[in-house]
Amino acid sequence: SNTAGSDGGALYFDISEALVSSCSIAANTAIGSGGGIANSGTAYPVQADLLVFNSIIWGNDSSDTATLDENIHDGNVDLYYSNVQGATTGVETTSVDPQFVNINPTAGDIDVRLASSSPCIDAGYQYFLPGDILDADGDGITDEQVPFDAAGAARIVGGELDQGAYEYLTDSTAPTLEEVQHIDDTTLLLFMSEAVDPTSLTTATFTLSGGATVSGARPGRFPHLVYLDTSILTECTTYT
């Protein structure tokens, strides 16, 4: 969450043709307009447009009186496959409680992952995902779609894209171990079948056969890699 002294609690665009895709924008505040997003000004030759794809914009606060303006203050916004509080128009767009894990700061840390009962699960449209121009998965392919969500987990689970920044994961979609590499005397590198949620990495997540114990777990360079810090490893021993 964020607080702005003027307009745009989370995002402010001025004379911009702006695109917001696969974002979760919640619990932000603006002293002026647009607690979530404010887009103002005129981009010649037309009014500045704001396009919103596959996003959740909810629970933002500002000086605006209309609920939609508290979340998005823009005279020319087009919504697609999104959940925006106060919205009454848009393509496959709703205004229903997204059921985040928590957006109440008095109840703990803000957590905009989706609860299991969220209506935003499988409610997006995967063909609106942006391209993987930075090669996030390191496979050398940059003309594919972004493969990971904001936590580094698989971007599409269950057949269709979830709205917002995070894909809902269940135990049935947990990644499995594909390969183990021995890096040094106290480090193993795990290659997983899917991207791993970095928040799930604890020593309790992993056990090793071969006599070694796990003292730490940390994400690798790419989301499907995990480093394990271990007790002294024995040469020529296979660890699984």
Side-chain angles (χ1 to χ4, degrees):
S1 61
N2 185 59
T3 299
S6 55
D7 300 335
L11 296 173
Y12 176 77
F13 302 106
D14 187 18
I15 316 180
S16 300
E17 299 290 321
L19 168 64
V20 174
S21 181
S22 294
C23 292
S24 297
I25 300 175
N28 301 283
T29 301
I31 303 304
S33 296
I37 302 173
N39 191 27
S40 63
T42 301
Y44 181 83
V46 296
Q47 170 73 24
D49 289 328
L50 174 65
L51 301 178
V52 178
F53 295 149
N54 295 323
S55 294
I56 306 171
I57 305 173
W58 195 271
N60 300 286
D61 187 40
S62 71
S63 62
D64 299 291
T65 56
T67 301
L68 176 59
D69 285 340
E70 287 189 303
N71 288 277
I72 302 177
H73 186 86
D74 182 280
N76 196 16
V77 58
D78 294 320
L79 307 173
Y80 298 87
Y81 292 84
S82 293
N83 188 353
V84 178
Q85 190 173 14
T88 57
T89 61
V91 177
E92 296 296 328
T93 293
T94 59
S95 174
V96 295
D97 185 352
Q99 300 181 38
F100 290 128
V101 172
N102 179 47
I103 61 167
N104 180 3
T106 64
D109 293 338
I110 299 295
D111 188 342
V112 294
R113 291 175 300 168
L114 303 178
S116 60
S117 55
S118 172
C120 300
I121 295 173
D122 292 339
Y125 188 50
Q126 59 185 287
Y127 295 103
F128 284 152
L129 270 176
D132 184 25
I133 59 175
L134 298 180
D135 195 19
D137 54 358
D139 62 0
I141 302 173
T142 57
D143 59 356
E144 62 182 353
Q145 291 177 308
V146 171
F148 306 128
D149 70 1
R155 180 62 269 197
I156 299 176
V157 174
E160 188 50 87
L161 178 72
D162 295 348
Q163 292 171 340
Y166 296 93
E167 196 76 6
Y168 176 72
L169 300 177
T170 66
D171 290 341
S172 62
T173 58
T176 58
L177 179 64
E178 292 190 335
E179 182 182 347
V180 179
Q181 286 189 4
H182 189 160
I183 302 301
D184 57 37
D185 288 346
T186 58
T187 309
L188 294 174
L189 176 60
L190 310 185
F191 289 74
M192 310 302 291
S193 61
E194 303 285 346
V196 177
D197 180 355
T199 63
S200 70
L201 295 179
T202 67
T203 55
T205 308
F206 303 94
T207 56
L208 293 174
S209 62
T213 59
V214 178
S215 59
R218 46 197 167 87
R221 179 183 177 190
F222 301 114
H224 62 288
L225 303 180
V226 177
Y227 285 102
L228 293 186
D229 300 316
T230 69
S231 58
I232 299 296
L233 301 171
T234 303
E235 190 174 352
C236 299
T237 298
T238 299
Y239 297 95
T240 58

